[in-house]
Amino acid sequence: MGFEVLFKGTNFIRLLEGLGVALRISMISVGISIVLGMILGTLMSLKNPVITVLSRIYLEIVHIMPQMVLLFIVFFGFSKVMGINIPAEASAIIVFSFWGTAEMGDLVRGCLISIPMIQYESSYALGMRRSKTYLYVIIPQIIRRLIPLSINLITRMIKTTSLIMMIGIVEVLKAGQQIIEANRRTSPHVAFGVFATVFLLYFLVCWPISQLSKYLEKRWS
Amino acid sequence: MIDTDVITNYIPLFVDGFFLTVKIGWLGILLSFLIGIIASAVLHFKVPVLSAVVKVYVELFRNTPLLVQLFFIYYGLPVLGFHVSAEGCGIVGLGLLGGSYMTETIRSGLDAVPPSQTESAIALGMSRPQVFWMIILPQAFSTSVPALVANVIFLLKETSVFSAISLMDLMFTAKDLIGLYYDTTESLFLLVVFYIIILLPVSIAGTVIEKKARYKIFGS
């Protein structure tokens, strides 16, 4: 069925290396998205009209533009229009952070406005200062709601990294294609075995993470 | 910066890609609704054996990227003797991915309909299928409208990966023109414009429908 090719030479290790590239890019992007998203979400909850309009436009762009289009704009467009040549991996990180920040910002804003006014008022009535109210009352509640949602973002980020092969990064899918190209003549069924393996690899990475997110969501809600 | 002559020359090419993207996108979404309704009914009524199959299917397709699913269907399955055309593969791939998302969404809608609705309908003499199609499903749909719209937008955006199985969609056209003539700015500009034409109306319609559904449910 073509699975035997995986045990030849370093083929399986190459697939795993590709997976490593995908994971590295998604982890960096998630990290950036969480930090910037927190800032964006807090800014959006301030209800400043200028920030509201700007953030609405930003969120709508991310909402309707496919990530692939954004990748092309950054990777091909920027070098043509502005003359800056951004390496493929950096373009991927820029696009995924741009997308993730919007998602995260919206989540943070949703969490912030879902904390009832009474929480603030009670803390003030107990004589807590504004900073203490945030530190001991509001932020712990927000983090608890955010953790399952941000874990969910990680799996979506990992799944979206499969697109980066289109701008020439050798991640797991591209590595799989290269293995198929090299072994097509000796074992004709290689496409099935390799793509089934890639499918399973993605599943094995994403499934535990999404189960964890589901579990935390149930437990903490 | 943008050459208008080039744009006018390219528009017909992009229109072709646009129709292909729209066709495959909406057929795939239609298929995903069908799969979603059937699979969520199976889960809701706890049909033995089939429930387990549906659960495995939903987890498998929700936790893998569309691109990998397409490659598996398009390049992997022919080895086993299943030959699918590129278009068919796009529709089936999008339908299967979307089906797994729709199943989860519709199922949570079905579970939110109070059991008294079923009981009252049965007491009025309706048959089981009638109860499902006329009482439970419409209510489940109206509660899950926001999530369904989000799914539709997500699936329309996912159509951008079809170029990888050599379908001549919008993305393919743009990539091709960039590669052939290096008119990067114009191609990317048209690509963005056509995706806006596809997705902005859906996004706006979604907001309107969501508000109406909210009004029906919460009265405000």
Side-chain angles (χ1 to χ4, degrees), chain B residues 178-193:
Chain B
I178 292 174
L180 282 175
Y181 306 113
Y182 200 53
D183 289 321
T184 317
T185 328
E186 291 80 6
S187 306
L188 288 176
F189 174 74
L190 283 171
L191 181 66
V192 169
V193 169

Side-chain angles (χ1 to χ4, degrees), chain B residues 32-178:
Chain B
S32 74
F33 268 104
L34 278 177
I35 295 176
I37 292 173
I38 295 168
S40 60
V42 166
L43 287 181
H44 183 69
F45 293 116
K46 303 197 174 68
V47 183
V49 187
L50 279 182
S51 286
V53 175
V54 168
K55 271 183 195 153
V56 172
Y57 153 70
V58 169
E59 292 299 338
L60 265 182
F61 278 81
R62 273 181 75 97
N63 287 302
T64 44
L66 179 61
L67 196 53
V68 176
Q69 296 164 9
L70 287 178
F71 273 30
F72 181 68
I73 298 172
Y74 192 63
Y75 298 110
L77 285 188
V79 172
L80 297 182
F82 296 100
H83 286 275
V84 203
S85 70
E87 271 191 37
C89 171
I91 296 168
V92 170
L94 195 69
L96 284 173
L97 171 82
S100 66
Y101 281 80
M102 295 294 181
T103 306
E104 290 263 283
T105 311
I106 301 173
R107 207 265 313 248
S108 62
L110 287 175
D111 289 349
V113 178
S116 63
Q117 295 283 327
T118 316
E119 290 156 11
S120 319
I122 289 174
L124 286 171
M126 293 173 101
S127 67
R128 276 265 163 198
Q130 270 182 327
V131 175
F132 181 72
W133 285 106
M134 298 163 83
I135 308 290
I136 310 294
L137 199 60
Q139 295 189 57
F141 260 103
S142 69
T143 46
S144 40
V145 159
L148 290 174
V149 173
N151 284 350
V152 168
I153 292 178
F154 162 72
L155 291 173
L156 282 175
K157 280 162 74 177
E158 288 285 299
T159 55
S160 60
V161 308
F162 286 149
S163 57
I165 53 165
S166 55
L167 276 169
M168 309 266 274
D169 69 340
L170 282 176
M171 210 65 220
F172 190 95
T173 313
K175 202 166 62 178
D176 217 26
L177 291 174
I178 292 174

